[in-house]
Amino acid sequence: MRPPASLALAALAACSGRYGAGAQARGAEAVVVRGSDTMLALLQRWAERGGARVQVTGGGSGTGLRALADGTADIAAASRRIEPAERDAVRARGRGDAVEHVVALDAVALYVHPSNPVAALTLDDARALYRGRVDRWGALGGPDVPVVLYGRESSSGTYAFFKERVLRHDDYAAEVQSLPGTSSVLQAVARDRGAVGYAGLGNARGVRAVPLRADASAAAASPDVTSVREGRYPLARPLYLYTAGAPRASAARWIAWVLSPAGQREAAAAGFVAAAEAAP
Amino acid sequence: MSPRRRLLDRAFAAAAWLCAALTVGCVVSVFAFVGREALPALVARPGAPPPRALVAPGLGSAFTWQPVGRRPKFNVVPLAVGSAKVAALALALAAPVGVAAACALAFLVSRRARRWVKPVVELLAGVPSVVLGYLALTVLAAWVQALTGCRYRLNALVAAAGVALAITPWIVTLADEALRAVPRETLEGAYALGASRAQVVLGVALPAARPAILAALLLAFGRAVGETMIVLMASGNAPVLRPLDPTASARTLTATIAAELGEVADGSHHRAVLFLLGAVLFVGTLALNLAAERVVARASRRES
């Protein structure tokens, strides 16, 4: 016998989410986080597991800081330091000065094929490579194979960070092949004997991370958690969350969770390095 | 006709006319939208590079596409050349194979075999381009590198091979129809004069079907220019300007739009330039389709 229509209606209403856990969460107002696209995946991870209702939007570090000054965001996520003009704008809002929290560290490593024994590279070597000035690996102490450059699309935060820190705002060579994500860069490098690619830390199987040194006189540091946290690795940057003065209770609770060992474990899982404040 | 039937007749005509108008309206609206978004790239604006920088060489006679950075550069030439290069290579790979396959299907294959060969060929047209792209990226790239020993694993040739896989079924289907449209009397006359099968196919059928086959090739070229996913995955996307080197990497107009449009800020020059690329593709494909139509029209006029 077919179930009565009333049962179907009841089932439909039950699925609507009006009843059950959804209702109690709707009582609290969401914490609005806006900013860095580099941190977007990380922020979403934290938003899901942090216990508070958090709404995350990207748009870039600049957009996030502007939203903090306008009052349209509770927390600004930035992959760079706040600028003095932005600090003034936040102060002008009257809720206090911008408070900085370092929540994770982002490091970019250079990867080569496992058969490439090049010992270490300076930032200038990396710059010469990605400006297309190095034709064969022999010039840098590697085997006599032609250099093949892999990079990311221009929308990537890693692309921007590399351009700013290594290329010093010069253009990439036209020959740099653009790949859509970290894993595609690593896969391409693993398949190509003369390849070099840049990507964040973590999940680096089938490739070899090259130790970097800031200049010829500095010691080379491998891209691992310790050297990043100790500041010895030249291609690392802190990731920040900024609030305007004292944050709201729910926002403060969330930030405390982010900085706790549980939150920092999520950062490590997302491919970043846990910030110095928290033990791993 | 009864008045009711006349009314139904008129209603049907009106509905059909409305659908046609809707379709044309859609095309015009899309073009209007793309054109409107692209317009800011063509006028000189403060803070943005001048429109002539889109095509004129920059410092050191370089044509650079590097839209993100302190001094963004929006030269479109490497992208247009990349699109043309990949599409031309794809057509060069697909056309001989496709036309030959069509000849075989139309004349050399038994009627029973044709009944399953044709659907299998058309099956290739059903493969999603992302799958073909992945195939090109993994399998074809390895083969091309083994064959040519080229430096770059992902290059225009690999992408063109993938695109050729996508357009071959089109060419086969359209060329097959063109060949089968050659009047039987013409072919039988040739056979009656003692021509061999090869002579009939190559010397009579192909020349007779040439306008339609040419139109098919033009359409396939248009399709190849518009192909996005395969080139995005397999060409390496490096905006290198080397028109005569098939083993150099290439960046096409379509892959550029696909890769960059999601991240541009509203109202930025970058966004306007990307829409300009879209408008260029739109106009180019339209021109190719019109040319194909004109070729067919001229041929049928000549025959009648």
Side-chain angles (χ1 to χ4, degrees):
Chain A
M1 199 184 80
R2 281 171 54 212
S6 51
L7 199 64
L9 269 173
L12 205 64
C15 299
S16 71
R18 271 194 76 196
Y19 310 101
Q24 92 198 38
R26 264 190 316 129
E29 211 181 271
V31 176
V32 177
V33 181
R34 219 169 248 176
S36 164
D37 292 313
T38 307
M39 296 169 70
L40 196 59
L42 177 60
L43 291 170
Q44 281 166 343
R45 210 181 242 263
W46 278 334
E48 279 167 28
R49 294 156 217 228
R53 249 177 72 87
V54 179
Q55 185 187 307
V56 172
T57 335
S61 305
T63 310
L65 287 163
R66 212 173 321 134
L68 187 69
D70 289 338
T72 49
D74 296 309
I75 302 176
S79 51
R80 57 163 173 83
R81 261 252 161 79
I82 190 174
E83 281 163 18
E86 289 165 332
R87 263 192 205 279
D88 293 336
V90 171
R91 198 177 306 127
R93 233 194 100 210
R95 278 262 307 263
D97 282 343
V99 178
E100 179 179 285
H101 311 267
V102 175
V103 290
L105 299 165
D106 182 23
V108 171
L110 276 179
Y111 295 98
V112 294
H113 194 262
S115 71
N116 189 335
V118 63
L121 292 172
T122 64
L123 286 185
D124 277 337
D125 291 332
R127 184 158 176 266
L129 272 172
Y130 274 87
R131 296 267 292 149
R133 303 258 158 89
V134 182
D135 191 47
R136 299 181 88 85
W137 278 103
L140 290 173
D144 186 32
V145 286
V147 170
V148 178
L149 300 162
Y150 289 100
R152 295 285 301 277
E153 273 296 334
S154 57
S155 52
S156 151
T158 318
Y159 172 103
F161 176 44
F162 196 86
K163 189 170 193 177
E164 180 193 313
R165 195 69 83 81
V166 177
L167 297 181
R168 300 207 282 269
H169 298 284
D170 281 331
D171 287 337
Y172 284 94
E175 288 78 25
V176 178
Q177 314 226 326
S178 291
L179 297 176
T182 302
S183 49
S184 49
V185 171
L186 297 178
Q187 272 175 33
V189 171
R191 285 203 175 106
D192 206 327
R193 278 188 48 215
V196 58
Y198 59 82
L201 298 190
N203 300 331
R205 264 169 310 174
V207 292
R208 196 190 135 236
V210 179
L212 288 184
R213 47 161 64 107
D215 52 53
S217 58
S222 284
D224 53 54
V225 168
T226 342
S227 61
V228 170
R229 211 180 281 148
E230 289 172 12
R232 287 183 288 115
Y233 187 70
L235 266 191
R237 58 177 172 175
L239 299 175
Y240 305 97
L241 288 181
Y242 286 97
T243 50
R248 251 190 315 135
S250 44
R253 259 201 313 269
W254 185 66
I255 294 184
W257 179 85
V258 160
L259 291 171
S260 73
Q264 292 297 294
R265 257 199 304 277
E266 292 295 331
F272 296 97
V273 176
E277 283 125 56
Chain B
M1 257 200 288
S2 71
R4 184 168 167 275
R5 277 192 65 190
R6 210 174 306 150
L7 187 67
L8 278 176
D9 200 53
R10 218 171 285 172
F12 167 74
W17 196 94
L18 198 68
C19 287
L22 201 67
T23 312
V24 172
C26 282
V27 174
V28 171
S29 319
V30 167
F31 186 59
F33 172 69
V34 171
R36 191 191 61 180
E37 299 295 324
L39 221 51
L42 292 174
V43 292
R45 279 198 308 180
R52 105 182 100 81
L54 287 170
V55 288
L59 250 84
S61 310
F63 296 88
T64 312
W65 173 267
Q66 192 136 149
V68 172
R70 196 170 268 184
R71 283 172 293 270
K73 299 178 179 63
F74 294 100
N75 201 299
V76 170
V77 173
L79 307 179
V81 167
S83 272
K85 188 163 119 183
V86 170
L89 271 173
L91 196 65
L93 290 171
V97 174
V99 173
C103 289
L105 263 183
F107 301 118
L108 307 174
V109 156
S110 75
R111 200 167 304 162
R112 210 164 19 136
R114 185 194 159 83
R115 217 175 298 150
W116 60 263
V117 170
K118 196 156 197 298
V120 168
V121 168
E122 283 166 358
L123 201 69
L124 189 59
V127 178
S129 46
V130 61
V131 173
L132 289 176
Y134 188 73
L135 200 73
L137 163 68
T138 47
V139 176
L140 294 181
W143 287 358
V144 167
Q145 198 165 40
L147 269 173
T148 61
C150 55
R151 173 171 178 162
Y152 297 105
R153 197 171 161 275
L154 298 178
N155 53 43
L157 187 58
V158 172
V163 175
L165 280 176
I167 65 176
T168 302
W170 278 46
I171 298 180
V172 171
T173 307
L174 291 171
D176 176 59
E177 275 177 33
L179 288 168
R180 282 165 76 78
V182 175
R184 277 195 77 101
E185 303 85 58
T186 316
L187 301 173
E188 284 171 355
Y191 279 121
L193 289 171
S196 71
R197 203 145 61 150
Q199 284 176 314
V200 172
V201 170
L202 295 175
V204 181
L206 268 183
R210 189 174 42 203
I213 293 183
L214 207 64
L217 293 181
L218 278 172
L219 286 174
F221 186 75
R223 167 85 172 77
V225 168
E227 179 53 54
T228 307
M229 206 61 210
I230 300 177
V231 287
L232 184 62
M233 296 173 81
S235 65
N237 294 312
V240 173
L241 185 59
R242 297 182 60 161
L244 299 174
D245 184 3
T247 57
S249 203
R251 190 179 182 88
T252 59
L253 296 165
T254 46
T256 304
I257 299 175
E260 298 178 14
L261 194 56
E263 292 289 331
V264 288
D266 259 344
S268 65
H269 188 250
H270 190 184
R271 187 171 183 271
V273 174
L274 287 178
F275 271 96
L276 184 66
L277 299 183
V280 166
L281 280 169
F282 196 93
V283 169
T285 314
L286 190 67
L288 278 169
N289 287 349
L290 285 176
E293 231 165 276
R294 185 162 307 172
V295 166
V296 174
R298 201 174 337 138
S300 57
R301 238 184 302 133
R302 213 184 295 141
E303 274 172 25
S304 61

